[in-house]
């Protein structure tokens, strides 16, 4: 079977929403170090290789919203699609205390090959999907680990990340803060966006309404959990878009 660096679900769905999942998979294509980055399976199953649970949540959200979704099919350790091409962390050599053997001596030619075969095709497809509606709104779905090595546990169930555009953030944040059983963080566990990342590239640059969702990955381990969160978040997202008036 021919390798594809991304998967599109519901390509012809007509919602103005577009669901994206930059870190959907922990796939290492055969053309990258023979399909093995030199890490044991337990490390490739960790958050350092992808966003556990994010792909399932993206599928359910897209289904409920009647929206297309695009998901990467390469590990962020192969090359990180949520970084600009000039970002020094585009090709990680060390992540959460783990050295990535196949990346330690990766040179400029290796980097360019991974850009051309994984990163750029994904962003080209994402760009084309985003442009199909002039009123496109983008939801970027991610997950994060409850505790990094040597760090304090993170308390939030969900984080909303935003940069300059607060149109969706403000109404969605208010709705989540009103839920007594949800601990929500603003720009947590990370702050805003990075120059050249997916939201900057496909949403902010075109003034498209956008929000990045960070779900704690122990809360979306199973399909049942993923669907439950999607069913809870989808109406809030719709209401936030209506309240934003954009």
């Amino acid at each position: 079977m021919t390798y594809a660096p991304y998967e599109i679900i519901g390509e012809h769905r007509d919602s103005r929403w577009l669901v994206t999942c930059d870190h959907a998979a922990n796939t290492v294509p055969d053309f990258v170090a023979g399909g093995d980055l030199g890490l044991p399976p337990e490390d490739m199953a960790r958050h350092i290789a992808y966003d556990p649970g994010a792909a399932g949540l993206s599928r359910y959200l897209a289904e409920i919203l009647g929206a297309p979704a695009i998901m990467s099919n390469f590990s962020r350790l192969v090359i990180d699609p949520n970084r600009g091409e000039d970002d020094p962390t585009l090709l990680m050599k060390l992540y959460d205390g783990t050295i990535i053997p196949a990346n330690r001596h990766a040179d400029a030619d290796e980097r360019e090959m991974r850009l051309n075969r994984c990163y750029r095709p994904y962003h080209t497809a994402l760009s084309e999907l985003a442009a199909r509606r002039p009123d496109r709104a983008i939801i970027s779905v991610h997950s994060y680990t409850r505790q990094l090595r040597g760090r304090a546990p993170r308390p939030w169930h969900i984080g909303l990340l935003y940069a300059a555009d607060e149109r969706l953030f403000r109404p969605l944040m208010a709705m989540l803060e009103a839920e007594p059983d949800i601990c929500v963080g603003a720009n947590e566990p990370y702050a805003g966006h990075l120059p050249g990342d997916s939201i900057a590239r496909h949403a902010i640059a075109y003034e498209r309404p956008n929000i990045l969702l960070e779900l704690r990955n122990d809360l979306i381990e199973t399909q049942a959990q993923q669907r439950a969160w999607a069913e809870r978040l989808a109406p809030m997202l719709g209401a936030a878009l209506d309240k934003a008036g954009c």
Side-chain angles (χ1 to χ4, degrees):
M1 184 180 295
T2 302
Y3 169 74
Y6 59 86
E7 178 184 6
I8 295 174
I9 299 162
E11 181 173 359
H12 301 295
R13 293 172 182 165
D14 61 1
S15 169
R16 66 177 295 194
W17 290 110
L18 170 61
V19 178
T20 70
C21 190
D22 296 327
H23 300 144
N26 59 359
T27 307
V28 181
D30 288 344
F31 53 80
V32 175
D36 187 346
L37 295 176
L39 293 174
E42 54 267 29
D43 274 335
M44 291 303 298
R46 294 174 60 216
H47 69 98
I48 64 170
Y50 75 125
D51 283 355
L57 177 59
S58 296
R59 289 176 186 275
Y60 288 126
L61 262 181
E63 176 188 328
I64 295 167
L65 293 169
I70 181 167
M71 300 189 290
S72 69
N73 186 31
F74 51 94
S75 170
R76 69 158 124 236
L77 298 180
V78 169
I79 196 160
D80 195 332
N82 196 34
R83 297 291 185 271
E85 289 197 18
D86 59 351
D87 192 301
T89 64
L90 181 70
L91 203 153
M92 293 289 285
K93 299 176 188 289
L94 175 70
Y95 194 174
D96 194 21
T98 297
I99 294 171
I100 318 306
N103 292 353
R104 288 185 68 182
H105 304 294
D107 59 15
D109 289 342
E110 177 70 17
R111 177 182 176 278
E112 191 69 12
M113 184 273 289
R114 297 187 197 185
L115 281 167
N116 285 332
R117 299 191 69 173
C118 297
Y119 180 104
R120 288 172 181 149
Y122 170 74
H123 281 290
T124 297
L126 200 168
S127 181
E128 291 172 355
L129 275 176
R132 289 186 184 179
R133 286 190 62 138
D135 61 348
R136 182 67 83 195
I138 294 179
I139 308 164
S140 183
V141 178
H142 293 254
S143 73
Y144 70 95
T145 189
R146 183 170 191 172
Q147 186 172 12
L148 294 169
R149 288 176 173 173
R151 305 284 185 89
R154 294 152 155 176
W156 311 282
H157 299 118
I158 182 172
L160 302 184
L161 274 60
Y162 69 99
D165 187 348
E166 299 183 11
R167 289 175 292 176
L168 290 181
F169 164 75
R170 289 196 176 278
L172 185 57
M173 187 72 180
M175 284 182 270
L176 286 167
E177 285 181 324
E179 297 289 307
D181 60 334
I182 293 180
C183 178
V184 58
N187 279 336
E188 299 288 0
Y190 314 106
H193 298 285
L194 298 170
D197 70 8
S198 284
I199 288 291
R201 184 170 179 165
H202 300 289
I204 295 172
Y206 297 92
E207 299 184 350
R208 292 173 177 138
N210 65 88
I211 194 70
L212 190 152
L213 306 177
E214 283 275 6
L215 273 290
R216 211 176 70 204
N217 60 29
D218 62 312
L219 302 178
I220 51 171
E221 290 178 332
T222 68
Q223 290 185 0
Q225 290 173 314
Q226 294 157 12
R227 177 171 280 281
W229 272 102
E231 290 174 344
R232 192 168 189 180
L233 289 170
M236 295 184 189
L237 287 160
L241 193 57
D242 289 342
K243 289 181 179 181
C246 53

